[in-house]
């Protein structure tokens, strides 16, 4: 640790001690050795704040707090291969001319979705803001009151709209918005640029609810000469129904319904690095590309290389290379066998666990309430599940489980291939420490 950082911690430690002494006359000043120990603890705490590898045994795939989607080996290798050197990011090596940054990713997205053109940016929030700013700044955008939602992490549709320079016009009610409501709003509002449809990905409305289909909105938008934009959030490039996950529309389906542009994340159901994409008509996408925000929101080099490799897997029908898709596609029998192996191996090392049927969910604001059957192991300890969880978090790699019914559950579907030995070693050492 450098002198400047140590000095900062020494000053902070002494200032804290001084404050305590001033408020509590019974305290005595720390000795020099005590101050040194406190400084050491601060240094250790700071260093522990770095992002570290975590084994995701939570039973939540695309876990928001764990960096969303893990990269495939192909994507990781591409990043490794290019990041310590130079890369042909904006160079066409065949022609020896300047190339378009993100060109391959955008071509691939067009191929995989059936759109006319694509643009990749930093994340879906940036994609939505850019799209609205480029299409609707200074004009009105119609949004159903049922879609004025918060995604999490500070993304609120009304606020994004305001920042884009567009004027929000609310349509319908929270639970019911009819086509006639949009028609009436189009009749009474001057200068409407677009209708924005927001995917209700992180919550579900049931009961007395109604909204027009995307296709009905597309027909209306075309008839009235306004654009239809869709904030999809998730970016399924393949039909997840083939893996038993219903209810997540694919990007291709959304485009086929007739939207002018759709925005989505590349690190949710797509399973790539952080990123966002706009796919749609050439006219709308090129308008977004020319907007000054496009430069401000451009995707960094490392995620771009990882995204290209991820999309290459989709192009070569190898989508099961994508860890998120592999996790949900893994046959239940295999997941159960893995949990049983864990339990047996732990038993052989003197740790008692019970195999349990569980459900795996999707994080990152996609597929609310849709779950996939899974299996895990339940750990019990007299010190309680919170203490066990705290121990496992300090392992290296850290292990994150889920507390349920007084037990700590480690789910066998979300743990990545090859992480078993580290997981079991962490459990054994955690219980030994807990027993000590
Ligand atoms: C997740 C989500 C976003 C934000 O995506 P980021 O990639 O995290 O910026 C926006 N809209 C919807 C509907 C989402 O689900």
């Amino acid at each position: 640790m450098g002198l400047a950082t140590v000095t900062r911690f020494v000053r902070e430690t002494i200032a804290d001690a001084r404050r305590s002494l001033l408020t509590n006359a019974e305290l005595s000043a720390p000795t020099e050795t005590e101050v040194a120990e406190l400084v050491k603890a601060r240094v250790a705490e700071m260093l522990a704040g770095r992002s570290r590898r975590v084994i995701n045994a939570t039973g939540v795939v695309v876990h928001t707090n764990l960096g969303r989607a893990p990269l495939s080996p192909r994507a990781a290798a591409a990043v490794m291969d290019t990041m310590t050197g130079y890369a042909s990011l904006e160079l066409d090596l065949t022609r020896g001319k300047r190339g378009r940054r993100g060109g391959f990713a955008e071509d691939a997205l067009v191929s995989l979705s059936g759109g006319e053109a694509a643009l990749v940016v930093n994340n879906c929030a940036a994609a939505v803001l850019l799209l609205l700013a480029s299409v609707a700044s200074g004009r009105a955008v119609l949004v159903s009151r049922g879609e004025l939602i918060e995604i999490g992490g500070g993304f609120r549709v009304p606020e994004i709209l305001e920042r884009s320079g567009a004027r929000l016009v609310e349509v319908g009610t929270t639970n019911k918005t009819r086509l006639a409501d949009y028609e009436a709003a189009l009749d009474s509002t001057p200068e409407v640029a677009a209708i924005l449809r927001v995917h209700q990905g992180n919550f579900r409305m049931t009961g007395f609810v109604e909204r027009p289909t995307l296709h009905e909105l597309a027909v209306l938008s075309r008839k009235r000469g306004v654009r239809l934009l869709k904030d999809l959030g998730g970016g399924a490039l393949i039909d997840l129904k083939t893996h038993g996950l219903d209810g997540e529309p694919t990007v291709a389906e959304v485009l086929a319904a007739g939207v002018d542009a759709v925005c989505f994340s590349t690190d949710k159901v797509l399973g790539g690095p952080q990123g966002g994409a706009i796919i749609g008509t050439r006219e709308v996408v090129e308008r977004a590309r020319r907007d000054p925000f496009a430069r401000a929101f451009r995707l960094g080099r490392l995620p771009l290389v990882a995204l290209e490799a991820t999309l290459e897997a989709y192009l070569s029908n190898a989508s099961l290379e994508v860890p998120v898709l592999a996790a949900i596609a893994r046959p239940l029998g295999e997941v159960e066998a893995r949990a049983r192996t864990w339990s047996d191996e732990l038993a052989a090392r003197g740790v008692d666990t019970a195999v349990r049927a569980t459900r795996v969910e999707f994080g990152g604001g996609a597929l609310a309430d849709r779950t996939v059957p899974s299996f895990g192991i339940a750990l019990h300890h007299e010190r309680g599940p919170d203490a066990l969880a705290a121990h496992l978090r300090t392992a290296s790699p850290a292990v994150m489980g889920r507390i349920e019914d007084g037990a700590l559950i480690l789910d066998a579907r979300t743990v990545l291939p090859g992480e078993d030995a580290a997981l079991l070693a962490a459990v054994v050492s955690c219980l030994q420490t807990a027993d000590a």
Side-chain angles (χ1 to χ4, degrees):
M1 191 57 57
L3 193 59
T5 309
V6 175
T7 309
R8 177 188 143 204
F9 286 136
V10 170
R11 288 204 176 116
E12 281 179 16
T13 304
I14 293 173
D16 282 354
R18 193 171 283 138
R19 250 192 311 276
S20 313
L21 287 174
L22 285 174
T23 51
N24 187 347
E26 281 159 31
L27 287 177
S28 54
T31 64
E32 221 169 272
T33 323
E34 281 164 348
V35 170
E37 285 308 316
L38 288 167
V39 169
K40 262 203 234 162
R42 278 176 196 236
V43 169
E45 194 186 329
M46 180 196 181
L47 291 177
R50 262 188 61 195
S51 294
R52 288 191 298 132
R53 176 147 189 152
V54 175
I55 295 179
N56 177 10
T58 60
V60 179
V61 270
V62 191
H63 197 296
T64 303
N65 303 138
L66 299 179
R68 288 202 186 151
L71 292 182
S72 65
R74 186 201 295 247
V79 174
M80 279 298 284
D81 185 42
T82 56
M83 73 181 167
T84 51
Y86 295 93
S88 62
L89 220 63
E90 298 182 14
L91 189 70
D92 180 337
L93 289 173
T94 317
R95 298 187 182 81
K97 286 200 302 218
R98 196 182 163 142
R100 182 156 54 88
R101 188 189 176 93
F104 172 78
E106 290 166 9
D107 266 1
L109 285 169
V110 163
S111 283
L112 292 162
S113 68
E116 281 178 17
L119 176 65
V120 293
V121 291
N122 233 326
N123 49 41
C124 181
V128 174
L129 182 52
L130 168 60
L131 186 61
L132 288 169
S134 59
V135 163
S137 183
R139 297 202 287 156
V141 173
L142 311 186
V143 190
S144 160
R145 288 196 169 90
E147 296 168 23
L148 293 172
I149 61 177
E150 172 171 320
I151 306 300
F155 182 98
R156 295 180 138 193
V157 171
E159 290 168 9
I160 293 276
L161 247 154
E162 190 192 319
R163 280 302 202 157
S164 76
R167 186 161 46 83
L168 167 64
V169 175
E170 301 182 12
V171 180
T173 64
T174 303
N175 57 329
K176 289 224 173 202
T177 305
R178 301 188 178 87
L179 201 60
D181 295 322
Y182 284 99
E183 284 173 334
L186 284 165
D187 288 339
S188 62
T189 314
E191 292 197 89
V192 177
I195 294 173
L196 173 67
R197 169 88 145 206
V198 184
H199 186 58
Q200 298 171 325
N202 59 355
F203 69 106
R204 193 118 352 241
M205 294 214 300
T206 54
F208 193 56
V209 294
E210 178 180 343
R211 54 178 195 164
T213 65
L214 198 56
H215 183 64
E216 285 167 339
L217 278 184
V219 172
L220 176 67
S221 307
R222 198 147 310 137
K223 195 167 91 195
R224 306 296 288 258
V226 303
R227 302 249 171 57
L228 176 61
L229 313 175
K230 166 96 184 184
D231 174 9
L232 179 60
L237 295 176
I238 58 163
D239 194 342
L240 298 178
K241 276 203 275 306
T242 53
H243 301 316
L245 259 179
D246 225 350
E248 181 72 9
T250 65
V251 176
E253 282 165 1
V254 169
L255 286 163
V259 303
D260 292 274
V262 54
C263 298
F264 57 88
S265 292
T266 60
D267 53 349
K268 292 184 181 171
V269 288
L270 191 152
Q274 181 191 308
I278 301 174
I279 308 187
T281 62
R282 195 161 290 114
E283 199 265 324
V284 169
V285 171
E286 292 316 315
R287 188 187 268 264
R289 197 189 303 285
R290 286 193 305 270
D291 192 283
F293 271 155
R295 175 63 180 79
F297 297 159
R298 84 173 182 192
L299 189 57
R301 165 185 159 176
L302 300 187
L304 178 56
V305 167
L307 179 60
E308 288 182 345
T310 306
L311 294 173
E312 191 183 55
Y314 278 98
L315 284 175
S316 36
N317 282 328
S319 59
L320 285 185
E321 275 182 21
V322 173
V324 165
L325 296 182
I328 59 166
R330 189 159 297 125
L332 186 58
E334 269 179 40
V335 179
E336 182 179 3
R338 189 186 203 188
R340 296 211 177 278
T341 307
W342 289 356
S343 190
D344 292 347
E345 288 189 16
L346 287 171
R349 291 193 242 171
V351 177
D352 255 357
T353 59
V355 173
R356 268 220 205 152
T358 58
R359 310 276 321 172
V360 155
E361 37 184 300
F362 246 87
L367 290 152
D369 82 9
R370 303 296 157 109
T371 58
V372 185
S374 180
F375 276 91
I377 55 170
L379 281 132
H380 287 277
H381 194 272
E382 62 204 20
R383 304 246 321 261
D386 292 307
L388 285 184
H391 269 299
L392 284 176
R393 285 199 305 273
T394 62
S396 184
V399 174
M400 290 289 294
R402 173 172 65 198
I403 294 170
E404 219 172 74
D405 304 331
L408 181 70
I409 312 284
L410 302 176
D411 199 289
R413 193 182 278 286
T414 52
V415 172
L416 296 171
E419 289 183 328
D420 305 58
L423 174 85
L424 299 183
V427 171
V428 170
S429 117
C430 149
L431 285 167
Q432 278 163 355
T433 327
D435 285 337

